[in-house]
Amino acid sequence: MIRTLLLSIVLLSLAACGREEPKPAVCTTKLIQPIKIIDKPIDFGPERIAMTKDYIRAHYGKEVDNIEITPKIILLHWTAEMDFDKSFKRLLPQKLLSDRKDIVKASALNVSSQFLVARDGTIYRLMPETWMARHVIGLNYSSIGIENVGGKGNKIDDLTPAQRQANIDLVFYLKAKYPSIEYLVGHHEYKQMENTSLWLEKDKGYRTTKSDPGDKFMRDIRNGVECLDLKAPPKGN
């Protein structure tokens, strides 16, 4: 009887080793294995910091001594660019590139994001996690942005399985590090957050329409981190 029981346990263990689990069976805010993050800083010197303070003052009505944020949202994007280097170089300069006519009137501050995920799932940290990045209208002051290389033509979800797993791992990492995080939001969902207290944009005419990273990607990531009980944006907008 004991021998049969031991044999059953061994067989079950071997079977478990033969498959990958995208998330732990029991919810935990601690990753089973350490997450690998490579630091690859964008240019974020005194000029960009000053422009960020000006942006906070103009768009959020806040006078601040620094650009530290308390993260409440993880906000996911795609770059609409298939090449990692081109994606990185777009975020690198302190001032906005000349082709961003859709948002330049709001500020010359360049767009940025705390993280950039390559096609192979490699995670790069571009700036301090709790410094404000310009990556979404109305919500920068409470959100950590994750950009994913892809979304060709800004139309289709071509993000890879490796990127999906990397985003799941990053969400677990960030929630464990910052328990204040409450929401998981796709860029295309950002206007739905106007119904929350986290929305700060004062310019009612400053809005853009986004398609990234799409419903399928968000569904995959939300399924992967379901046990964290992160909120989706309220329906309505």
Side-chain angles (χ1 to χ4, degrees), residues 132-144:
M132 193 190 94
R134 183 187 185 184
H135 61 100
V136 60
I137 294 170
L139 303 170
N140 292 309
Y141 201 64
S142 58
S143 63
I144 293 178

Side-chain angles (χ1 to χ4, degrees), residues 16 28 38 40 47 77-78 103 112 122 139 171 182 201 224:
T28 175
I38 299 172
K40 188 177 176 65
E47 183 180 21
H77 304 257
W78 67 37
I103 60 174
S112 53
T122 303
L139 303 170
V171 172
E182 302 172 18
E201 181 56 55

